[in-house]
Amino acid sequence: MKRGRRIDTPGESLQGVAVVDIEPAPESDSEPATDDGTAPERLVERWAEAAVSHATVRTINDPAGLLATVAGIDGAWGFGQSEDEALEDLRSVLVDWASLKLEDGDDDIPAMEGVHLVTAL
């Protein structure tokens, strides 16, 4: 049975979406902006990793076993049989969630550990 928990993104990449890291990143993580859209995608992934570090994992009455969520991020959650599996699923969902919000021009993505995702007009 397929769950309706994922946010599916269109087959488009994040090209054309400006993602801004307002606070300076550690030098080891800083990457030059490129025209192929990879820098924005990496910032979204970094944001998702930071968000997952604030996740809560709990047991639910469901065959999936565990549910992982982040307070303040509604509509995105991950499932898994183990904590690691639930957190990895959540990370994947958060990348899709943030990417969709950016593509839609939404400005309500919460900052996570200094990573702010915003669209530039």
Side-chain angles (χ1 to χ4, degrees):
M1 175 179 187
K2 187 168 183 163
R3 297 186 176 280
R5 62 180 163 72
R6 287 205 182 270
I7 299 171
D8 294 321
T9 58
E12 304 169 15
S13 72
L14 291 179
Q15 289 179 328
V17 174
V19 181
V20 179
D21 184 5
I22 295 176
E23 294 180 20
E27 287 187 30
S28 62
D29 288 340
S30 63
E31 300 171 19
T34 62
D35 289 336
D36 65 3
T38 57
E41 290 167 352
R42 287 186 190 131
L43 282 174
V44 170
E45 289 172 7
R46 199 170 100 203
W47 175 87
E49 287 294 329
V52 167
S53 72
H54 297 280
T56 301
V57 179
R58 67 179 191 265
T59 304
I60 57 172
N61 189 15
D62 186 280
L66 299 172
L67 173 72
T69 59
V70 177
I73 301 178
D74 297 328
W77 56 89
F79 290 104
Q81 293 295 316
S82 68
E83 184 172 321
D84 287 342
E85 190 177 299
L87 291 172
E88 179 54 32
D89 189 46
L90 175 62
R91 189 203 61 75
S92 174
V93 169
L94 288 172
V95 167
D96 291 345
W97 181 88
S99 297
L100 244 178
K101 303 264 297 159
L102 288 168
E103 287 172 8
D104 288 346
D106 294 344
D107 61 358
D108 61 345
I109 301 171
M112 291 291 166
E113 296 181 6
V115 180
H116 300 251
L117 302 178
V118 297
T119 56
L121 300 175

